Structures are given as C-alpha cells and as structure tokens.
Amino acid sequence: MATFNLTINGKKHTVDVSPQMPLLWVLRDVIGLTGTKFGCGIAQCGACTVHIGNAAVRSCVYPVSSVGTEKVITIEGLSANGDHPVQKAWEEIDVPQCGYCQSGQIMAAAALLKSNPHPTDEEINEAMTNICRCATYTRIKKAIKQVGAKV
Ligand code: FES
Ligand code: FES
C-alpha cells in the first residue's frame, strides 16, 4: 500500500492503495465515481476512458502510481451541468442506446476535439477506437462533426 494525492475533477483526494491498482478501480471503488465504466479490463473497449492532463487514457490499465501530479477528469467533471459541447451534441443527436459505453465515448471525443476541433472522418476513425456494442458509431461521428461545425 502507498499514499497517493490525486486531483480529480478539481478536488483533492488522498488514497491509500496498491501502486499497481488501476486508476479505474481507484475512481470507482475507492472514491465512488462510477460514471467511468468497466468493460474489458485490457485496454480494448474504451469504456474506462478518462482524461489525464489533456490526453484520453484507458484507466483500466493505468496504474494509480503513474498519475503523478497530472489532473484527472472523469465524465462527472467534464462540465458543471452536463453542458460541455460534446455532451450537448450527444443529447441533441440522441447518440446513446444502452448508454454503457457512452461516458468513455464522450471523454474520447472531448479529448479529440480539444486537440483537433475540425477532425476529418479519417481522423475521427483513427481517434475513436472505443467499442459500442449497440453500434452507435454513425451518430457518434455525426455528433463530433456537429461540435466541430459550431466552433
Ligand atoms: S475497460 Fe478499459 S478499455 Fe475496456
Ligand atoms: S450505447 Fe450500448 S454499448 Fe454503446
């Protein structure tokens, strides 16, 4: 066990956990932020995507000891009232079906649009490798383009 001081969604948290514990477990089981989902546990599906610094990271394979002083943002902290442009576009286009993958999809899309506000189809395909079992891919792409068009 070791002590880690984390900044998550602008709040300081001190946790006493194994250094190898994946950040996802810390978020969900230790801190109680359950908006970030567990899907595969092997960095394949993207359900666990959060932001560390400005990067979209798959938290199921990211040891808590690697976070250091970087700021972590989860779906709960992406915006104060669920009104981040990506969240608004998701709502307007009615992207989710079952919803399970969507917090990860939104976090991946927000990171993409921050670094590239007008991504091409090819760039979206390259960046958005999150899996959706309900196959909402067409609406995800449309929502990303809608955000880009408004910037
Ligand atoms: S749960 Fe992390 S990528 Fe699937
Ligand atoms: S909306 Fe159901 S898995 Fe993506």
Side-chain angles (χ1 to χ4, degrees):
M1 298 289 249
T3 300
F4 299 95
N5 295 307
L6 304 171
T7 306
I8 300 166
N9 301 334
K11 263 180 77 180
K12 305 257 183 232
H13 294 268
T14 300
V15 295
D16 191 23
V17 294
S18 160
Q20 285 83 42
M21 182 181 275
L23 178 60
L24 178 62
W25 270 252
V26 176
L27 292 172
R28 288 184 57 87
D29 294 350
V30 180
I31 296 174
L33 290 169
T34 54
T36 308
K37 302 303 183 201
F38 171 77
C40 63
I42 53 169
Q44 295 295 302
C45 74
C48 63
T49 304
V50 299
H51 295 174
I52 301 181
N54 285 324
V57 170
R58 296 191 172 179
S59 62
C60 68
V61 292
Y62 201 91
V64 63
S65 54
S66 298
V67 176
T69 55
E70 294 276 21
K71 293 188 169 90
V72 178
I73 304 287
T74 71
I75 188 70
E76 291 92 343
L78 187 61
S79 63
N81 302 304
D83 55 358
H84 184 282
V86 172
Q87 289 169 305
K88 278 163 66 179
W90 247 242
E91 209 174 343
E92 282 161 21
I93 290 178
D94 215 1
V95 172
Q97 195 161 315
C98 81
Y100 195 82
C101 73
Q102 296 295 334
S103 55
Q105 303 280 7
I106 288 171
M107 295 309 280
L112 165 64
L113 286 160
K114 196 166 186 185
S115 65
N116 178 2
H118 304 286
T120 61
D121 279 351
E122 205 170 85
E123 287 166 336
I124 294 173
N125 291 343
E126 235 169 70
M128 296 297 296
T129 55
N130 296 34
I131 292 170
C132 174
R133 291 193 68 179
C134 305
T136 60
Y137 303 111
T138 309
R139 295 200 294 278
I140 287 172
K141 194 175 278 177
K142 198 172 163 192
I144 291 173
K145 294 230 162 191
Q146 177 168 304
V147 177
K150 286 186 180 171
V151 177

